[in-house]
Amino acid sequence: MAEIDRDKLRDIYTRTMKVNRTDEKFRSLLMGGKVAVMYYCVRGQELVSAAMMAALEDDDYVVCTYRGQGEQTAKGIPAEKWWAECLGRATGTCKGKGGTMHITHPEKGIMVTTGVVGSGLPIANGLAMASQNNGDGRVTVVSFGDGASNIGGFHEAMNMAQLYKLPVIFLCQNNRYGEHTAYADHTDTRSISDRAVGYGMKGVTVDGNDVHAMYGAAKDAVERARAGEGPTLIEAMCYRMMGHFFGADFSYMPPEHIAEMQAEDPLPKLRKVMLEHQFTEEELDRIVAEIDAEIDAAVESALAAPLPDPAELKLDVFEEEMA
Amino acid sequence: MGMITMTQALNHAIDQAMAEDAGVFCLGEDVAAKQGGGVFKITSGLTEKYGENRIRATPISETAIIGAAIGAALAGQRPIAEIMLMNFVGVCMDQIVNHAAKLRFMSGGQTSVPMVIRTTTGVGVGFGGQHSDMLEAWFAHVAGIKVVTPSNAADAKGLMRASIDCNDPVIFIENILCYGLKSEDPGPGYRVPLGKAAIAREGSDVSLITYGRTVLDALAVAEELSKEGISVEVVDLRTIAPYDEATVLASVRKTGRAITLHEAVRPFGTGAEFAANIQEKCWDQLKGPVLRIGGTFSAVPFATVLEQAWIPTKPQIVEAIKASVGRA
């Protein structure tokens, strides 16, 4: 297992905690009745997106799903704009027209957030195709869950990406559930990464709760893509600790299994690695405190921000204003 | 400049756009030289000029084709994706309707999808139920997509160039039976603005509002009826969505009568939308109800005799015009 230098470890830790603290804040706002919007909780999957985003450059492209908070915040969307969009404000990334399921922020490479399971893969191919045509060296990452591996678009996109050797990374966050259906009830292949073999593609399954395994796989895939060696399918094993969307019943998830998976929680594991690398408790706590302060200020500013003007309905349908 | 067919017109428009802008590229099944330059030869000769990266032959994967075009467009390129036959759009509707059409709006205008989806269809060549439908109403019903169809070679050239220029997704429908139509070549760089209808023939008694191949029938019928003293104005929409409402309403206000005509099946067709809008906005000027002519509400049949009975016929158009002007 490749070593990760201290700067990169601090970077990954910061991104991971940004994802986690954003998630905690969102859940507390929902539970406190302060906001009432759809939110797809990422508790348990923080490290996967943080380590993947830490392996990218600022101008690399990302396509994610409605459960994309991890990619979005870890890639660097400013908290104020992200929260404003989630709360439907005019100052949000998408002027309040996208919402939690459709966050876009090209400045940080977040090109599409789709609400349709599996639909991001074919689009990621196109972003990668543009990079291949332009020779600009950019890499595209598309994130999706295990459930997405059964739609037709997944298979069409895998075949096309390998055929053209596109600089794209298919990041499957295998959180063990496709909506309310457990992995074993929707798929009978041993692993999602096995499917890469069927397309002649490199596929790896990694422990998405282990920073070395996860970052190593991400870095390796990015290097292959940049070198023109084509796509990689990374299956990151993780666990969606709560239901499909926050507030939904998840009694279908066996409590003993949740308890078992909580023992694999990526956060204490990451903290342990940090301490082993001579980061102090104080330094780690200070990073979290800074993140919390930033999030609190962002939420406050979003709540005070103006609502969208109804005249916006005529704008952005087409380039020209609608009559 | 000489005469060109619609096939040549489309080929020239794409060729010229590719020569001028390195971001324009084509992708689709069988489009490259190795596969014959496209089933209908629209991309013939372009691989030799621009290489296989810019004329990309794809697997039979409509969802992946449209998705790739969307992604490339988001990254600032101008892809021209071919869906070989219009019925196959059913395979990739999610990409077109949920993504291409909505990404500009849902991103608050941060991203746009400047792509053209070229597709072909048409009744009258014996292709049967799954290769012949005009499905323009499916797309006209979704905000964010432009729908274009030419009725002659010169318009095809100008509309294709304007569609490639357009910063929004365009569905470009080519009728198989129009590929051989010839026009005077309007020359390089010719553009027909999207959203502008043409008065294909001026008249004073009734407005016949149509687009695509049925414009030919409309013009033939108008010529025939002129001998009986009935003056028919033919409006060729050229862009179906968003359509040129001002030209349509001005024509109807002039003639006082309107008939909509399309090859697609009549129920829930675009003609219903045009008719309803005309009734709302020209009620005082109308001398009678707005009539609608469209295809039969069944799958397109195979046998020639059935297919010819399915499609709106010239006698049907004549009958509707006579009913409208009170000469039935």
Side-chain angles (χ1 to χ4, degrees):
Chain A
M1 194 61 64
E3 243 334 280
I4 308 175
D5 70 43
R6 277 176 60 87
D7 284 348
K8 189 48 83 176
L9 262 183
R10 187 186 293 104
D11 178 30
I12 295 171
Y13 181 78
T14 305
R15 292 179 202 246
T16 305
M17 294 316 294
K18 204 169 265 182
V19 177
N20 175 257
R21 301 312 294 169
T22 302
D23 188 68
E24 296 283 342
K25 183 73 177 183
F26 217 128
R27 280 187 280 124
S28 84
L29 289 172
L30 288 165
M31 299 225 291
K34 291 237 175 63
V35 299
V37 296
M38 289 296 283
Y39 176 63
Y40 295 86
C41 179
V42 297
R43 184 70 195 89
Q45 301 178 225
E46 296 94 334
L47 179 67
V48 174
S49 42
M52 185 73 241
M53 296 305 110
L56 296 177
E57 299 296 330
D58 253 17
D59 65 354
D60 286 328
Y61 294 127
V62 174
V63 175
C64 56
T65 73
Y66 50 89
R67 201 184 306 284
Q69 188 264 99
E71 292 80 73
Q72 293 150 12
T73 49
K75 188 78 177 7
I77 298 182
E80 203 173 301
K81 290 195 82 75
W82 188 88
W83 279 101
E85 187 59 33
C86 289
L87 303 184
R89 307 296 156 143
T91 55
T93 52
C94 309
K95 300 193 280 186
K97 293 177 175 180
T100 55
M101 277 197 266
H102 306 297
I103 301 275
T104 304
H105 194 66
E107 273 173 56
K108 289 290 179 185
I110 304 288
M111 301 305 287
V112 179
T113 297
T114 180
V116 185
V117 169
S119 291
L121 288 86
I123 299 175
N125 273 354
L127 288 158
M129 197 180 284
S131 297
Q132 190 177 65
N133 289 348
N134 289 332
D136 63 18
R138 286 176 168 176
V139 169
T140 300
V141 171
V142 54
S143 165
F144 51 93
D146 45 304
S149 70
N150 291 323
I151 80 153
F154 170 96
H155 298 276
E156 290 191 16
M158 294 277 286
N159 180 57
M160 187 178 275
Q162 181 62 25
L163 179 70
Y164 298 142
K165 308 288 181 289
L166 296 175
V168 63
I169 295 165
F170 299 106
L171 175 64
C172 175
Q173 304 196 23
N174 187 341
N175 65 17
R176 324 297 170 102
Y177 284 91
E179 306 228 348
H180 294 198
T181 304
Y183 183 84
D185 296 328
H186 71 61
T187 299
D188 204 24
T189 51
R190 188 179 55 87
S191 70
I192 303 288
S193 71
D194 276 355
R195 294 185 168 184
V197 179
Y199 297 102
M201 189 186 296
K202 182 176 180 189
V204 292
T205 296
V206 296
D207 181 353
N209 298 325
D210 179 305
V211 65
H212 287 96
M214 186 59 222
Y215 181 71
K219 193 163 168 285
D220 183 46
V222 171
E223 279 167 7
R224 292 189 66 242
R226 276 205 225 287
E229 290 165 28
T232 305
L233 171 64
I234 300 174
E235 178 188 23
M237 302 308 293
C238 52
Y239 193 68
R240 192 191 73 193
M241 289 189 181
M242 301 196 176
H244 174 47
F245 59 89
F246 188 69
D249 168 49
F250 57 102
S251 53
Y252 55 88
M253 294 166 68
E256 61 277 14
H257 192 214
I258 296 178
E260 186 190 319
M261 296 313 294
Q262 271 166 350
E264 300 295 315
D265 190 333
L267 300 186
K269 284 187 165 191
L270 177 61
R271 194 168 175 102
K272 187 161 168 274
V273 170
M274 299 300 287
L275 295 172
E276 281 164 10
H277 284 76
Q278 277 72 56
F279 285 91
T280 63
E281 297 270 5
E282 292 69 30
E283 187 176 355
L284 299 180
D285 289 345
R286 193 168 61 244
I287 290 171
V288 173
E290 279 167 14
I291 291 168
D292 279 341
E294 188 192 355
I295 292 172
D296 288 346
V299 170
E300 207 170 306
S301 122
L303 285 169
L307 297 170
D309 183 335
E312 279 286 336
L313 291 174
K314 289 181 172 185
L315 303 177
D316 306 324
V317 175
F318 293 115
E319 183 180 37
E320 57 277 10
E321 184 173 344
M322 287 286 285
Chain B
M1 298 287 299
M3 303 294 280
I4 48 166
T5 62
M6 190 183 281
T7 300
Q8 291 167 328
L10 293 166
N11 178 276
H12 294 177
I14 294 168
D15 186 357
Q16 287 156 14
M18 290 183 74
E20 285 171 28
D21 180 352
V24 178
F25 74 102
C26 297
L27 71 167
E29 295 154 17
D30 296 343
V31 298
K34 211 155 101 182
Q35 295 81 19
V39 172
F40 297 100
K41 304 291 175 201
I42 304 299
T43 45
S44 178
L46 301 180
T47 316
E48 294 82 344
K49 279 186 167 177
Y50 303 107
E52 288 186 349
N53 262 19
R54 290 183 68 196
I55 302 290
R56 270 196 205 239
T58 64
I60 300 174
S61 304
E62 283 79 10
T63 295
I65 293 167
I66 298 301
I70 292 169
L74 287 172
Q77 300 214 302
R78 292 192 176 270
I80 303 169
E82 177 173 319
I83 297 297
M84 192 185 284
L85 287 148
M86 191 166 203
N87 285 79
F88 307 164
V89 296
V91 178
C92 50
M93 278 302 262
D94 166 59
Q95 290 294 334
I96 303 175
V97 166
N98 284 321
H99 296 89
K102 294 177 183 167
L103 291 179
R104 178 190 286 278
F105 187 85
M106 295 196 307
S107 72
Q110 292 178 97
T111 58
S112 61
V113 185
M115 65 187 279
V116 180
I117 301 173
R118 283 189 44 246
T119 191
T120 189
T121 187
V123 183
V125 282
F127 277 4
Q130 294 178 344
H131 286 59
S132 309
D133 283 324
M134 283 288 288
L135 301 171
E136 67 277 14
W138 291 10
F139 300 104
H141 196 61
V142 177
I145 311 179
K146 295 185 177 177
V147 185
V148 171
T149 192
S151 67
N152 61 72
D155 277 4
K157 189 168 187 178
L159 288 168
M160 177 54 77
R161 248 348 255 287
S163 298
I164 297 169
D165 291 345
C166 180
N167 288 328
D168 288 303
V170 176
I171 309 264
F172 196 98
I173 306 168
E174 300 159 15
N175 193 302
I176 296 170
L177 288 174
C178 292
Y179 278 141
L181 297 177
K182 285 185 176 170
S183 300
E184 182 76 27
D185 186 349
Y190 180 63
R191 286 162 170 87
V192 171
L194 302 190
K196 293 298 276 184
I199 303 294
R201 180 190 175 105
E202 288 200 34
S204 53
D205 292 329
V206 56
S207 301
L208 192 50
I209 297 137
T210 185
Y211 48 82
R213 196 203 53 78
T214 46
V215 171
L216 305 179
D217 290 345
L219 290 171
V221 166
E223 178 62 23
E224 188 184 318
L225 289 177
S226 71
K227 292 168 193 148
E228 297 179 35
I230 299 172
S231 173
V232 179
E233 177 147 301
V234 178
V235 180
D236 178 356
L237 287 178
R238 306 196 288 198
T239 300
I240 303 166
Y243 75 101
D244 185 352
E245 185 188 281
T247 296
V248 170
L249 297 184
S251 175
V252 176
R253 284 179 182 130
K254 181 175 79 170
T255 63
R257 299 183 182 90
I259 300 170
T260 68
L261 164 65
H262 52 60
E263 192 173 300
V265 298
R266 201 180 98 129
F268 301 94
T270 57
E273 170 66 21
F274 305 144
N277 201 35
I278 291 167
Q279 315 258 32
E280 277 177 16
K281 293 183 179 153
C282 303
W283 180 248
D284 288 348
Q285 292 97 348
L286 282 175
K287 297 170 188 161
V290 181
L291 304 180
R292 287 183 292 146
I293 308 172
T296 308
F297 196 52
S298 73
V300 177
F302 168 70
T304 307
V305 62
L306 292 177
E307 197 181 28
Q308 290 308 317
W310 184 96
I311 202 166
T313 60
K314 286 180 201 159
Q316 266 180 290
I317 301 168
V318 168
E319 193 185 335
I321 291 171
K322 287 190 169 174
S324 176
V325 300
R327 297 267 293 268

